[in-house]
Amino acid sequence: MSAYLMPIKVALLLFPFLAFAISSIFFVRQYRKYGRFILSRAIVLYSFVFYLLCAYFLVILPLPSIEEVAQMTGPKMEWHLGASWQHFLQQTVLQIGEPSTYLPALKQNVVLEPLFNLFLTLPFGVYLRYYFKWSFPKTILASFCLSLFFELTQLTGLYFIYPRPYRLFDVNDLFVNTLGGTIGYLVAPVFTFLLPTREEMDAVSYAKDTRVTFTRRIVAWLIDWGILNLFSGLLLTLLRLGWKKELADFTNDYWYFALEVLLYFVLLAYLLNGQTIGKKLVRIRVMEENHSRVRLLTLFKRYGLVYLVYVSVSRVNELFAPFLQSDNQLLLPVSLLIVLIFGLIQVGFYCNILWAAFKKQPRFFYEKRTATYLVSTVQRNNVRN
């Protein structure tokens, strides 16, 4: 039993990290398709990922040592379809007329192994019918493909990490796994009748107005700066590889930061009609009041105000903060006054962000000053099952 519980424990440990990685993709897809993120859909999809993770670990764990596998001499494949049934008939203690043999028979490997393979893919069929709305033939094919993936994982020795397979590739497992997914499809209503339907989740998810939530803006912001940081890292690496002399890290310099803002948030957003890559992925757009599209100068004012002015305030404080330890009677009060003034500006900036975050239609100070706002580009005809 411990051999089966260990994969689930491993899945429990790794799943939060996997869920974190999936969440960014999930947020983007939800906002692109519906314009809103709901918890019930997240629970269904995350539970599906967790199930697949547990199933995969049950297939590959526990992992033996490479030396142990190298010494194995047993068969690698079983091509005889029906071998499991023959083994059952030869080894089972089950006697239909003797109820006392039922429980001992259920404890035998010839019964447990087929049952394990059957129940391994049964939830897969349930998910495909309930949430993904797949047809019966597609569910059968998908169950077979999932089983084939598991068997090939075993046949290749965990993708050739091991010198040979440490578990048997069995054509009977392909059949039983496929049967499990098929049964799951047939019994899905028994397990899901209390849950909200896919249509109900879609109806709740769809944003009937053009409201852009604070969370949606944060997702776009994270994507944009993730792209910029990735590009900066790649650029610095390539320059260092091609530069004969030691090249200092310039990506934290103010001039590089300003260049990023001007090229990405101003020029690129203008060329994409008010969208950056992050905004495009979550389907929101910057608009200007009384204009059909946002102007280049307006974008410069909008992002220059939030990045080149207010964010730059922190750099001023970093510059003058060391002078607070100075013994110069003139430099000390001047530095203190500058740090206090710019510190208050920073506090006001963050207060504005927090205040707007609690509003149904958040609009920040730089948007009011530049007469700009965000709209959703999601349309109802984009929503399909």
mmCIF file with all atom_site columns, all heavy atoms in Angstrom, residues 211 213-215 350-364:
data_model
loop_
_atom_site.group_PDB
_atom_site.id
_atom_site.type_symbol
_atom_site.label_atom_id
_atom_site.label_alt_id
_atom_site.label_comp_id
_atom_site.label_asym_id
_atom_site.label_entity_id
_atom_site.label_seq_id
_atom_site.pdbx_PDB_ins_code
_atom_site.Cartn_x
_atom_site.Cartn_y
_atom_site.Cartn_z
_atom_site.occupancy
_atom_site.B_iso_or_equiv
_atom_site.pdbx_formal_charge
_atom_site.auth_seq_id
_atom_site.auth_comp_id
_atom_site.auth_asym_id
_atom_site.auth_atom_id
_atom_site.pdbx_PDB_model_num
ATOM 1   N N   . ARG A 1 211 ? -16.055 46.194 -18.068 1.00 0.00 ? 211 ARG A N   1
ATOM 2   C CA  . ARG A 1 211 ? -15.298 46.475 -16.857 1.00 0.00 ? 211 ARG A CA  1
ATOM 3   C C   . ARG A 1 211 ? -14.004 45.678 -16.822 1.00 0.00 ? 211 ARG A C   1
ATOM 4   O O   . ARG A 1 211 ? -13.987 44.479 -17.081 1.00 0.00 ? 211 ARG A O   1
ATOM 5   C CB  . ARG A 1 211 ? -16.139 46.154 -15.617 1.00 0.00 ? 211 ARG A CB  1
ATOM 6   C CG  . ARG A 1 211 ? -15.478 46.506 -14.314 1.00 0.00 ? 211 ARG A CG  1
ATOM 7   C CD  . ARG A 1 211 ? -16.500 46.473 -13.190 1.00 0.00 ? 211 ARG A CD  1
ATOM 8   N NE  . ARG A 1 211 ? -17.067 45.155 -13.028 1.00 0.00 ? 211 ARG A NE  1
ATOM 9   C CZ  . ARG A 1 211 ? -16.579 44.235 -12.207 1.00 0.00 ? 211 ARG A CZ  1
ATOM 10  N NH1 . ARG A 1 211 ? -15.488 44.507 -11.506 1.00 0.00 ? 211 ARG A NH1 1
ATOM 11  N NH2 . ARG A 1 211 ? -17.156 43.069 -12.083 1.00 0.00 ? 211 ARG A NH2 1
ATOM 12  N N   . THR A 1 213 ? -11.112 44.535 -14.329 1.00 0.00 ? 213 THR A N   1
ATOM 13  C CA  . THR A 1 213 ? -10.830 44.414 -12.908 1.00 0.00 ? 213 THR A CA  1
ATOM 14  C C   . THR A 1 213 ? -9.351  44.701 -12.607 1.00 0.00 ? 213 THR A C   1
ATOM 15  O O   . THR A 1 213 ? -8.496  44.649 -13.490 1.00 0.00 ? 213 THR A O   1
ATOM 16  C CB  . THR A 1 213 ? -11.170 43.001 -12.407 1.00 0.00 ? 213 THR A CB  1
ATOM 17  O OG1 . THR A 1 213 ? -10.355 42.050 -13.100 1.00 0.00 ? 213 THR A OG1 1
ATOM 18  C CG2 . THR A 1 213 ? -12.630 42.687 -12.651 1.00 0.00 ? 213 THR A CG2 1
ATOM 19  N N   . PHE A 1 214 ? -9.090  44.960 -11.340 1.00 0.00 ? 214 PHE A N   1
ATOM 20  C CA  . PHE A 1 214 ? -7.730  45.216 -10.905 1.00 0.00 ? 214 PHE A CA  1
ATOM 21  C C   . PHE A 1 214 ? -6.860  43.975 -11.101 1.00 0.00 ? 214 PHE A C   1
ATOM 22  O O   . PHE A 1 214 ? -5.696  44.078 -11.497 1.00 0.00 ? 214 PHE A O   1
ATOM 23  C CB  . PHE A 1 214 ? -7.739  45.642 -9.431  1.00 0.00 ? 214 PHE A CB  1
ATOM 24  C CG  . PHE A 1 214 ? -6.380  45.942 -8.877  1.00 0.00 ? 214 PHE A CG  1
ATOM 25  C CD1 . PHE A 1 214 ? -5.712  47.097 -9.225  1.00 0.00 ? 214 PHE A CD1 1
ATOM 26  C CD2 . PHE A 1 214 ? -5.768  45.053 -8.008  1.00 0.00 ? 214 PHE A CD2 1
ATOM 27  C CE1 . PHE A 1 214 ? -4.447  47.375 -8.717  1.00 0.00 ? 214 PHE A CE1 1
ATOM 28  C CE2 . PHE A 1 214 ? -4.512  45.317 -7.494  1.00 0.00 ? 214 PHE A CE2 1
ATOM 29  C CZ  . PHE A 1 214 ? -3.857  46.487 -7.846  1.00 0.00 ? 214 PHE A CZ  1
ATOM 30  N N   . THR A 1 215 ? -7.415  42.797 -10.816 1.00 0.00 ? 215 THR A N   1
ATOM 31  C CA  . THR A 1 215 ? -6.660  41.550 -10.987 1.00 0.00 ? 215 THR A CA  1
ATOM 32  C C   . THR A 1 215 ? -6.239  41.368 -12.432 1.00 0.00 ? 215 THR A C   1
ATOM 33  O O   . THR A 1 215 ? -5.118  40.940 -12.727 1.00 0.00 ? 215 THR A O   1
ATOM 34  C CB  . THR A 1 215 ? -7.512  40.352 -10.535 1.00 0.00 ? 215 THR A CB  1
ATOM 35  O OG1 . THR A 1 215 ? -7.982  40.565 -9.211  1.00 0.00 ? 215 THR A OG1 1
ATOM 36  C CG2 . THR A 1 215 ? -6.705  39.066 -10.585 1.00 0.00 ? 215 THR A CG2 1
ATOM 37  N N   . TYR A 1 350 ? 1.327   54.770 -3.710  1.00 0.00 ? 350 TYR A N   1
ATOM 38  C CA  . TYR A 1 350 ? 0.847   53.449 -3.304  1.00 0.00 ? 350 TYR A CA  1
ATOM 39  C C   . TYR A 1 350 ? -0.556  53.516 -2.715  1.00 0.00 ? 350 TYR A C   1
ATOM 40  O O   . TYR A 1 350 ? -1.349  52.577 -2.892  1.00 0.00 ? 350 TYR A O   1
ATOM 41  C CB  . TYR A 1 350 ? 1.822   52.831 -2.309  1.00 0.00 ? 350 TYR A CB  1
ATOM 42  C CG  . TYR A 1 350 ? 3.167   52.520 -2.916  1.00 0.00 ? 350 TYR A CG  1
ATOM 43  C CD1 . TYR A 1 350 ? 4.336   53.079 -2.427  1.00 0.00 ? 350 TYR A CD1 1
ATOM 44  C CD2 . TYR A 1 350 ? 3.262   51.656 -4.019  1.00 0.00 ? 350 TYR A CD2 1
ATOM 45  C CE1 . TYR A 1 350 ? 5.571   52.798 -3.000  1.00 0.00 ? 350 TYR A CE1 1
ATOM 46  C CE2 . TYR A 1 350 ? 4.487   51.370 -4.602  1.00 0.00 ? 350 TYR A CE2 1
ATOM 47  C CZ  . TYR A 1 350 ? 5.635   51.934 -4.094  1.00 0.00 ? 350 TYR A CZ  1
ATOM 48  O OH  . TYR A 1 350 ? 6.843   51.664 -4.679  1.00 0.00 ? 350 TYR A OH  1
ATOM 49  N N   . CYS A 1 351 ? -0.884  54.601 -2.028  1.00 0.00 ? 351 CYS A N   1
ATOM 50  C CA  . CYS A 1 351 ? -2.246  54.762 -1.506  1.00 0.00 ? 351 CYS A CA  1
ATOM 51  C C   . CYS A 1 351 ? -3.259  54.845 -2.639  1.00 0.00 ? 351 CYS A C   1
ATOM 52  O O   . CYS A 1 351 ? -4.363  54.297 -2.547  1.00 0.00 ? 351 CYS A O   1
ATOM 53  C CB  . CYS A 1 351 ? -2.330  56.009 -0.626  1.00 0.00 ? 351 CYS A CB  1
ATOM 54  S SG  . CYS A 1 351 ? -1.531  55.826 0.988   1.00 0.00 ? 351 CYS A SG  1
ATOM 55  N N   . ASN A 1 352 ? -2.883  55.549 -3.706  1.00 0.00 ? 352 ASN A N   1
ATOM 56  C CA  . ASN A 1 352 ? -3.772  55.645 -4.858  1.00 0.00 ? 352 ASN A CA  1
ATOM 57  C C   . ASN A 1 352 ? -4.005  54.275 -5.494  1.00 0.00 ? 352 ASN A C   1
ATOM 58  O O   . ASN A 1 352 ? -5.119  53.938 -5.894  1.00 0.00 ? 352 ASN A O   1
ATOM 59  C CB  . ASN A 1 352 ? -3.187  56.610 -5.889  1.00 0.00 ? 352 ASN A CB  1
ATOM 60  C CG  . ASN A 1 352 ? -4.041  56.712 -7.139  1.00 0.00 ? 352 ASN A CG  1
ATOM 61  O OD1 . ASN A 1 352 ? -3.792  56.031 -8.128  1.00 0.00 ? 352 ASN A OD1 1
ATOM 62  N ND2 . ASN A 1 352 ? -5.058  57.558 -7.090  1.00 0.00 ? 352 ASN A ND2 1
ATOM 63  N N   . ILE A 1 353 ? -2.941  53.475 -5.573  1.00 0.00 ? 353 ILE A N   1
ATOM 64  C CA  . ILE A 1 353 ? -3.054  52.132 -6.141  1.00 0.00 ? 353 ILE A CA  1
ATOM 65  C C   . ILE A 1 353 ? -3.993  51.280 -5.291  1.00 0.00 ? 353 ILE A C   1
ATOM 66  O O   . ILE A 1 353 ? -4.883  50.598 -5.819  1.00 0.00 ? 353 ILE A O   1
ATOM 67  C CB  . ILE A 1 353 ? -1.667  51.457 -6.225  1.00 0.00 ? 353 ILE A CB  1
ATOM 68  C CG1 . ILE A 1 353 ? -0.746  52.237 -7.174  1.00 0.00 ? 353 ILE A CG1 1
ATOM 69  C CG2 . ILE A 1 353 ? -1.800  50.010 -6.677  1.00 0.00 ? 353 ILE A CG2 1
ATOM 70  C CD1 . ILE A 1 353 ? -1.157  52.231 -8.608  1.00 0.00 ? 353 ILE A CD1 1
ATOM 71  N N   . LEU A 1 354 ? -3.805  51.322 -3.963  1.00 0.00 ? 354 LEU A N   1
ATOM 72  C CA  . LEU A 1 354 ? -4.642  50.519 -3.077  1.00 0.00 ? 354 LEU A CA  1
ATOM 73  C C   . LEU A 1 354 ? -6.091  50.994 -3.087  1.00 0.00 ? 354 LEU A C   1
ATOM 74  O O   . LEU A 1 354 ? -7.020  50.183 -3.074  1.00 0.00 ? 354 LEU A O   1
ATOM 75  C CB  . LEU A 1 354 ? -4.081  50.580 -1.643  1.00 0.00 ? 354 LEU A CB  1
ATOM 76  C CG  . LEU A 1 354 ? -2.732  49.878 -1.417  1.00 0.00 ? 354 LEU A CG  1
ATOM 77  C CD1 . LEU A 1 354 ? -2.226  50.134 -0.009  1.00 0.00 ? 354 LEU A CD1 1
ATOM 78  C CD2 . LEU A 1 354 ? -2.872  48.381 -1.669  1.00 0.00 ? 354 LEU A CD2 1
ATOM 79  N N   . TRP A 1 355 ? -6.292  52.294 -3.115  1.00 0.00 ? 355 TRP A N   1
ATOM 80  C CA  . TRP A 1 355 ? -7.651  52.833 -3.126  1.00 0.00 ? 355 TRP A CA  1
ATOM 81  C C   . TRP A 1 355 ? -8.380  52.433 -4.407  1.00 0.00 ? 355 TRP A C   1
ATOM 82  O O   . TRP A 1 355 ? -9.543  52.019 -4.366  1.00 0.00 ? 355 TRP A O   1
ATOM 83  C CB  . TRP A 1 355 ? -7.599  54.349 -2.991  1.00 0.00 ? 355 TRP A CB  1
ATOM 84  C CG  . TRP A 1 355 ? -8.945  55.018 -3.080  1.00 0.00 ? 355 TRP A CG  1
ATOM 85  C CD1 . TRP A 1 355 ? -9.467  55.694 -4.144  1.00 0.00 ? 355 TRP A CD1 1
ATOM 86  C CD2 . TRP A 1 355 ? -9.943  55.055 -2.061  1.00 0.00 ? 355 TRP A CD2 1
ATOM 87  N NE1 . TRP A 1 355 ? -10.717 56.158 -3.861  1.00 0.00 ? 355 TRP A NE1 1
ATOM 88  C CE2 . TRP A 1 355 ? -11.047 55.775 -2.576  1.00 0.00 ? 355 TRP A CE2 1
ATOM 89  C CE3 . TRP A 1 355 ? -10.028 54.558 -0.767  1.00 0.00 ? 355 TRP A CE3 1
ATOM 90  C CZ2 . TRP A 1 355 ? -12.210 56.003 -1.843  1.00 0.00 ? 355 TRP A CZ2 1
ATOM 91  C CZ3 . TRP A 1 355 ? -11.187 54.774 -0.032  1.00 0.00 ? 355 TRP A CZ3 1
ATOM 92  C CH2 . TRP A 1 355 ? -12.249 55.494 -0.576  1.00 0.00 ? 355 TRP A CH2 1
ATOM 93  N N   . ALA A 1 356 ? -7.711  52.537 -5.526  1.00 0.00 ? 356 ALA A N   1
ATOM 94  C CA  . ALA A 1 356 ? -8.336  52.177 -6.796  1.00 0.00 ? 356 ALA A CA  1
ATOM 95  C C   . ALA A 1 356 ? -8.590  50.678 -6.902  1.00 0.00 ? 356 ALA A C   1
ATOM 96  O O   . ALA A 1 356 ? -9.530  50.245 -7.574  1.00 0.00 ? 356 ALA A O   1
ATOM 97  C CB  . ALA A 1 356 ? -7.450  52.632 -7.960  1.00 0.00 ? 356 ALA A CB  1
ATOM 98  N N   . ALA A 1 357 ? -7.763  49.883 -6.224  1.00 0.00 ? 357 ALA A N   1
ATOM 99  C CA  . ALA A 1 357 ? -7.903  48.434 -6.313  1.00 0.00 ? 357 ALA A CA  1
ATOM 100 C C   . ALA A 1 357 ? -9.223  47.949 -5.724  1.00 0.00 ? 357 ALA A C   1
ATOM 101 O O   . ALA A 1 357 ? -9.759  46.923 -6.139  1.00 0.00 ? 357 ALA A O   1
ATOM 102 C CB  . ALA A 1 357 ? -6.739  47.746 -5.612  1.00 0.00 ? 357 ALA A CB  1
ATOM 103 N N   . PHE A 1 358 ? -9.772  48.698 -4.757  1.00 0.00 ? 358 PHE A N   1
ATOM 104 C CA  . PHE A 1 358 ? -11.015 48.292 -4.108  1.00 0.00 ? 358 PHE A CA  1
ATOM 105 C C   . PHE A 1 358 ? -12.255 48.796 -4.840  1.00 0.00 ? 358 PHE A C   1
ATOM 106 O O   . PHE A 1 358 ? -13.380 48.470 -4.464  1.00 0.00 ? 358 PHE A O   1
ATOM 107 C CB  . PHE A 1 358 ? -11.037 48.790 -2.650  1.00 0.00 ? 358 PHE A CB  1
ATOM 108 C CG  . PHE A 1 358 ? -10.084 48.045 -1.762  1.00 0.00 ? 358 PHE A CG  1
ATOM 109 C CD1 . PHE A 1 358 ? -8.868  48.599 -1.415  1.00 0.00 ? 358 PHE A CD1 1
ATOM 110 C CD2 . PHE A 1 358 ? -10.399 46.783 -1.285  1.00 0.00 ? 358 PHE A CD2 1
ATOM 111 C CE1 . PHE A 1 358 ? -7.974  47.920 -0.595  1.00 0.00 ? 358 PHE A CE1 1
ATOM 112 C CE2 . PHE A 1 358 ? -9.514  46.088 -0.470  1.00 0.00 ? 358 PHE A CE2 1
ATOM 113 C CZ  . PHE A 1 358 ? -8.304  46.658 -0.126  1.00 0.00 ? 358 PHE A CZ  1
ATOM 114 N N   . LYS A 1 359 ? -12.062 49.583 -5.866  1.00 0.00 ? 359 LYS A N   1
ATOM 115 C CA  . LYS A 1 359 ? -13.195 50.085 -6.627  1.00 0.00 ? 359 LYS A CA  1
ATOM 116 C C   . LYS A 1 359 ? -13.599 49.091 -7.710  1.00 0.00 ? 359 LYS A C   1
ATOM 117 O O   . LYS A 1 359 ? -12.776 48.327 -8.214  1.00 0.00 ? 359 LYS A O   1
ATOM 118 C CB  . LYS A 1 359 ? -12.851 51.429 -7.273  1.00 0.00 ? 359 LYS A CB  1
ATOM 119 C CG  . LYS A 1 359 ? -12.656 52.566 -6.271  1.00 0.00 ? 359 LYS A CG  1
ATOM 120 C CD  . LYS A 1 359 ? -12.427 53.879 -7.003  1.00 0.00 ? 359 LYS A CD  1
ATOM 121 C CE  . LYS A 1 359 ? -12.302 55.034 -6.031  1.00 0.00 ? 359 LYS A CE  1
ATOM 122 N NZ  . LYS A 1 359 ? -12.091 56.322 -6.725  1.00 0.00 ? 359 LYS A NZ  1
ATOM 123 N N   . LYS A 1 360 ? -14.875 49.109 -8.082  1.00 0.00 ? 360 LYS A N   1
ATOM 124 C CA  . LYS A 1 360 ? -15.349 48.219 -9.137  1.00 0.00 ? 360 LYS A CA  1
ATOM 125 C C   . LYS A 1 360 ? -14.746 48.579 -10.487 1.00 0.00 ? 360 LYS A C   1
ATOM 126 O O   . LYS A 1 360 ? -14.505 47.720 -11.316 1.00 0.00 ? 360 LYS A O   1
ATOM 127 C CB  . LYS A 1 360 ? -16.877 48.270 -9.217  1.00 0.00 ? 360 LYS A CB  1
ATOM 128 C CG  . LYS A 1 360 ? -17.563 47.612 -8.017  1.00 0.00 ? 360 LYS A CG  1
ATOM 129 C CD  . LYS A 1 360 ? -19.069 47.577 -8.217  1.00 0.00 ? 360 LYS A CD  1
ATOM 130 C CE  . LYS A 1 360 ? -19.737 46.837 -7.061  1.00 0.00 ? 360 LYS A CE  1
ATOM 131 N NZ  . LYS A 1 360 ? -21.200 46.775 -7.248  1.00 0.00 ? 360 LYS A NZ  1
ATOM 132 N N   . GLN A 1 361 ? -14.534 49.876 -10.693 1.00 0.00 ? 361 GLN A N   1
ATOM 133 C CA  . GLN A 1 361 ? -13.901 50.309 -11.932 1.00 0.00 ? 361 GLN A CA  1
ATOM 134 C C   . GLN A 1 361 ? -12.664 51.125 -11.560 1.00 0.00 ? 361 GLN A C   1
ATOM 135 O O   . GLN A 1 361 ? -12.713 52.350 -11.508 1.00 0.00 ? 361 GLN A O   1
ATOM 136 C CB  . GLN A 1 361 ? -14.863 51.129 -12.783 1.00 0.00 ? 361 GLN A CB  1
ATOM 137 C CG  . GLN A 1 361 ? -16.071 50.329 -13.232 1.00 0.00 ? 361 GLN A CG  1
ATOM 138 C CD  . GLN A 1 361 ? -16.627 50.834 -14.549 1.00 0.00 ? 361 GLN A CD  1
ATOM 139 O OE1 . GLN A 1 361 ? -15.929 51.454 -15.326 1.00 0.00 ? 361 GLN A OE1 1
ATOM 140 N NE2 . GLN A 1 361 ? -17.881 50.563 -14.786 1.00 0.00 ? 361 GLN A NE2 1
ATOM 141 N N   . PRO A 1 362 ? -11.541 50.433 -11.299 1.00 0.00 ? 362 PRO A N   1
ATOM 142 C CA  . PRO A 1 362 ? -10.332 51.151 -10.861 1.00 0.00 ? 362 PRO A CA  1
ATOM 143 C C   . PRO A 1 362 ? -9.800  52.090 -11.930 1.00 0.00 ? 362 PRO A C   1
ATOM 144 O O   . PRO A 1 362 ? -9.669  51.727 -13.095 1.00 0.00 ? 362 PRO A O   1
ATOM 145 C CB  . PRO A 1 362 ? -9.343  49.996 -10.587 1.00 0.00 ? 362 PRO A CB  1
ATOM 146 C CG  . PRO A 1 362 ? -9.834  48.858 -11.411 1.00 0.00 ? 362 PRO A CG  1
ATOM 147 C CD  . PRO A 1 362 ? -11.321 48.992 -11.447 1.00 0.00 ? 362 PRO A CD  1
ATOM 148 N N   . ARG A 1 363 ? -9.530  53.317 -11.508 1.00 0.00 ? 363 ARG A N   1
ATOM 149 C CA  . ARG A 1 363 ? -8.913  54.288 -12.414 1.00 0.00 ? 363 ARG A CA  1
ATOM 150 C C   . ARG A 1 363 ? -7.873  55.050 -11.621 1.00 0.00 ? 363 ARG A C   1
ATOM 151 O O   . ARG A 1 363 ? -8.189  55.715 -10.634 1.00 0.00 ? 363 ARG A O   1
ATOM 152 C CB  . ARG A 1 363 ? -9.960  55.243 -12.994 1.00 0.00 ? 363 ARG A CB  1
ATOM 153 C CG  . ARG A 1 363 ? -9.431  56.002 -14.209 1.00 0.00 ? 363 ARG A CG  1
ATOM 154 C CD  . ARG A 1 363 ? -10.486 56.858 -14.840 1.00 0.00 ? 363 ARG A CD  1
ATOM 155 N NE  . ARG A 1 363 ? -10.001 57.456 -16.074 1.00 0.00 ? 363 ARG A NE  1
ATOM 156 C CZ  . ARG A 1 363 ? -10.637 58.427 -16.719 1.00 0.00 ? 363 ARG A CZ  1
ATOM 157 N NH1 . ARG A 1 363 ? -11.777 58.897 -16.264 1.00 0.00 ? 363 ARG A NH1 1
ATOM 158 N NH2 . ARG A 1 363 ? -10.131 58.922 -17.831 1.00 0.00 ? 363 ARG A NH2 1
ATOM 159 N N   . PHE A 1 364 ? -6.630  54.970 -12.062 1.00 0.00 ? 364 PHE A N   1
ATOM 160 C CA  . PHE A 1 364 ? -5.523  55.513 -11.301 1.00 0.00 ? 364 PHE A CA  1
ATOM 161 C C   . PHE A 1 364 ? -5.279  56.977 -11.668 1.00 0.00 ? 364 PHE A C   1
ATOM 162 O O   . PHE A 1 364 ? -5.803  57.500 -12.658 1.00 0.00 ? 364 PHE A O   1
ATOM 163 C CB  . PHE A 1 364 ? -4.270  54.677 -11.533 1.00 0.00 ? 364 PHE A CB  1
ATOM 164 C CG  . PHE A 1 364 ? -4.454  53.239 -11.151 1.00 0.00 ? 364 PHE A CG  1
ATOM 165 C CD1 . PHE A 1 364 ? -4.417  52.233 -12.108 1.00 0.00 ? 364 PHE A CD1 1
ATOM 166 C CD2 . PHE A 1 364 ? -4.690  52.881 -9.836  1.00 0.00 ? 364 PHE A CD2 1
ATOM 167 C CE1 . PHE A 1 364 ? -4.584  50.910 -11.761 1.00 0.00 ? 364 PHE A CE1 1
ATOM 168 C CE2 . PHE A 1 364 ? -4.862  51.557 -9.469  1.00 0.00 ? 364 PHE A CE2 1
ATOM 169 C CZ  . PHE A 1 364 ? -4.814  50.568 -10.434 1.00 0.00 ? 364 PHE A CZ  1
#
